[in-house]
Amino acid sequence: MTQAKHSSTITEMVNVTFQKSIGTGGECVGTVPAGSTLLQAAIAAGVHLQSACGGKGTCGKCRVILSPEDRTGPLPEEKKFLSDELSANGVVLACKRVVESDMDVFLIEQKDVFDRKTQLGQENKVYELAPLVRKHFVCISVPSTSDQRSDWERLVAALPKSETPLRFNRRIAAKLPRILREASFQVTVVTAGDELLAVEPGDTSAGSYGLAIDIGTTTVVVYLINLVEGRIVARGALTNPQQGAGADVLSRIAFAADHPAGLSQLQTQVVGGLNQIISDLCQEERIKPEEIYQAVVVGNTTMSHLFLGIDPTYLAPAPFIPGFRQSVTVKASELGLRILSDGAVTVLPIVAGYVGADTVGVMLSGQADQLEGIHLLVDIGTNGEIVLVGKGRILSCSTAAGPAFEGAGIKHGMRAADGAIERVKITEDLELGIIGRENEKVRGICGSGLIDAVSEMHRAGIIDSGGRMISSEDDLEKLPSALRERVLYENGSREFVLVWKEESAAGENITITQKDIRGLQLAKGAVLAGVRILLSHLSLKTEDLDMIHLAGAFGNYISKESALGIGLLPQVSLDKIQSIGNAAGNGAQMALLSTDAMERANRLARDTEHIELSTEKIFQDEFLESLALEQSY
């Protein structure tokens, strides 16, 4: 194995077997040209390695373990991220290691806790029921010499008069004569508006299902919904399989633009991940994929483009133009989504290049068009989407918050998974909340833990309002001894130890570095600046806000006190901040179950005024003012 290089003459194919741990046997095999990186092999194998930087070697997240026989000394690029102990144990960066022959690689397992997102909201919530998909059990008149209408004509005639005239479906018409006769002319007709989706033998009207899909940059969530009863019957999630192309949308846009098959690869990955969840849900509920007739999809603008296989290249540079904005409906077979092949798959409309269908879902679920007073809806993830409702208008913007809130770009950052620090409280020493089992060894820190840590460090005097970690002996002496010991000076920079190496899974100190604090400041500063600019457009001040609604898993799990403590949100009283769960996914559910809600989603997208922050003259000043951990209004 050597350092990454490129050669147009390499044609030999090699197999890389990824195993969960030494001795467990092969799990997945990636076949790639010799000279490819291990990260490329992982992508080919469908193995989801973290890669916040998209394989540039700047994040240090794509760690794997080499077999003893393949181990060599650390590469210069790896020394920045890996301790001597980790390197001695065979840990390497997958994006920097090239494979020249067949080999085994061992994964560092991370058990994600998807239920933190899938379980947001009410388990058996019943929504307004007026779905697009309808089932009609009909008894069709039997042909005779006195009634020689075509099979298609007699099928249409048997439907209720209120139904929209159906468009001819050649695929179904081809099988219709046999279906009718084998079913003794008693069938169930499945329609979606003027589309005929299926003709099924007998009475199947009790079994009708749809999917509400939330394609997040980090996590993909699918809700299986009974369209007859209007309730969720099962749900599933997985890490977005596109992670290997980078943790943020700009990295994935670049991947799609820079690689000849990049767009196709990313589209195949996300659809493949969805099909995996769908298969699991169907087995769980003992239904056939063909009983799923419709899907409604939300996601940010980039995720919507990649799901549909539409080139996102021109979303990246100004003026950030999307390929489409309207709601889009295609057949499942066009995308390779494994539900009924003629099933209707609708992606909700987009507001702008960086305010996508997920934000429309948030507005629909949060009833933005019905709120009275002044309301702020904030959905913070790898991007920060902000909606301000007031004075008869709806304004939106998107801030380039970056992936810090998801744990990416942070030295020991990680997704919300077992072993992640999610809560931090500083007294005379530290009190930590760890996701997962009791006594779970700590692996890193997720976004909610990072916000807690920085807020508490500021409150305890370990960092000042400008985000700088204390360094003078006089300041250090003011800290309790246990905290003072945690402030280290490493590689020319201060860092604060959350967990000593003896208690960490990787055998290294889990720390907050000065660079981590700066990264969080940049992310939170962008969000707060966006809020301030929206308020200015309506000539409003912080004290005018009636409520701040926090959407998404991140908004649900962060501490309100810590969010205010670092100045992520405007300084309002705690009772003016509420979490509204996975509002994007809830909006998709509403649109799936009600044609009226679907129309409201379209209307909200049309009526929302987008504020492009990059053209705002005051943005830079607002951004710089918003970096401080103490805010004044």
Side-chain angles (χ1 to χ4, degrees), residues 135 346 402 485 584:
K135 278 192 157 187
T346 299
E485 292 174 1

Side-chain angles (χ1 to χ4, degrees), residues 423-434:
R423 289 282 176 260
V424 178
K425 184 172 180 57
I426 295 180
T427 53
E428 293 297 303
D429 199 1
L430 293 188
E431 298 175 14
L432 302 179
I434 312 298

Side-chain angles (χ1 to χ4, degrees), residues 574-588:
L574 288 174
D575 62 353
K576 286 189 174 184
I577 304 174
Q578 69 170 358
S579 297
I580 56 174
N582 183 18
N586 293 343

Side-chain angles (χ1 to χ4, degrees), residues 48 112-119 212-214 216 218-224 234-241 273-274 276-278 280-281 284 582:
H48 305 153
D112 289 296
V113 283
F114 296 122
D115 59 346
R116 292 165 65 89
K117 188 164 185 177
T118 60
Q119 297 300 328
I213 298 174
D214 179 6
T218 302
T219 306
V220 177
V221 182
V222 178
Y223 302 90
L224 177 64
R235 61 193 83 198
L238 51 69
T239 300
N240 190 318
L274 290 171
Q276 177 184 328
I277 300 174
I278 293 167
D280 292 343
L281 295 181
E284 179 182 333
N582 183 18

